[in-house]
Amino acid sequence: IYDIAKEVLKVYPDLLKMSQEKAISICRDFAFNMILKEIKEDLERFRVIYDSWYSEKSLYEKGKIDKVLSILKEKGLIYEKEGALWFKATAFGDEKDRVIIRSNGEYTYFASDIAYHYEKFNERKFDLCINIWGIDHHGYVPRIKGVLKGLGIDPERLKIILIQMVNLIEKGKLKSMSTRKGEFVTLKELMDDVGVDAIRFIFLSRSLEAGLDFDVELAKKQSQENPVYYVQYAHARICSVFKKAKEKGIEKIENTKINWALLSGKEEIELMKLLEEFPSVVEASALYFAPYKITYYLLDLAKNFHEFYTNYRILGEDENLTHTRLALCLACKNVFKNGLELLGVSAPEKM
């Protein structure tokens, strides 16, 4: 708040001489734009890009809320009680009816949520909407699904994903955080500390239903204990193999010299079997909204590749065997790169 106030005074040095109403309006708009700009910059750095940013305020300005409330009123799904306007949420399985407009005339968040979802389905013609909410909002699910049903929209077209909270571990201890006390770690601070790749990979290494303990020290380690390093190192290792192959005069893999029957070792066969699974892993990850399936798969592939690399000589005397093992390495390299790209994680060529 102090930082924003300093910036406002730089732009509006006469702010304190203005009327209270005008000054508050200027401060509100300035703070909104400044904070939103920082959020967008942080998300872009985190490789999260939104195609559209939607203003809740526009729902009021364009009359979207009044429009949807009139529809609910026509359907007999809202009523007045104690000076407030209520939605008959109990008719759709909720534990109690919900307030849309308070007795003092203020609209609740529920009012704008109703209008926003109605506009998405009925005006912007979404087939499926996916909402990602914190687990503490689980009680909100029945009312939003109920109001969609009341509006004649199939509730199954709204997929609500509830995610668990993240615990931050520093030096083996749980970091205490409280937004009320102003004690918290921002995404920007975490990116500065451990890097984007580590955060994305580790965040995506758990199912949505499972909690996550984010170990800051582990995320910074350059060893096989660090999952993202372990996978990225496998990709970099393969790039190193091809660099050495060029130094030995092998500019490219010759298909006529590939003979898959030459790969009969346990690790080689396991690696080929794993590579064949990749398309089905990606498909399952998409169908079940479970990117962690790709993370688990890449860790398993990295483990098998490192074992293969340790136990077999890739650039050997047998020309056909060399080209065949290089072909296997190339397949692994492509899968590592594609898998990491799907997770929004880089695939470095050297580490």
Side-chain angles (χ1 to χ4, degrees), residues 267-275 301 304-305 308 332:
E267 290 81 4
E268 293 171 317
I269 293 170
E270 285 299 314
L271 209 47
M272 288 189 284
K273 285 180 178 178
L274 261 179
L275 289 169
L301 184 64
N304 279 269
F305 176 77
F308 160 74
C332 289

Side-chain angles (χ1 to χ4, degrees), residues 243-278:
K243 185 180 178 182
K244 289 176 183 175
K246 278 191 175 183
E247 291 170 359
K248 289 179 175 285
I250 304 173
E251 291 295 326
K252 65 176 183 178
I253 300 168
E254 295 180 32
N255 291 335
T256 55
K257 294 179 180 178
I258 296 173
N259 180 4
W260 296 111
L262 295 173
L263 304 185
S264 56
K266 178 188 171 185
E267 290 81 4
E268 293 171 317
I269 293 170
E270 285 299 314
L271 209 47
M272 288 189 284
K273 285 180 178 178
L274 261 179
L275 289 169
E276 190 180 19
E277 292 174 14
F278 184 58

Side-chain angles (χ1 to χ4, degrees), residues 116 175-176 182 210 242 279 285 296 313 324 339 345:
Y116 177 67
K175 187 172 178 63
S176 177
F242 280 99
S285 179
Y296 281 5
R313 187 179 178 186
T324 305
V345 177

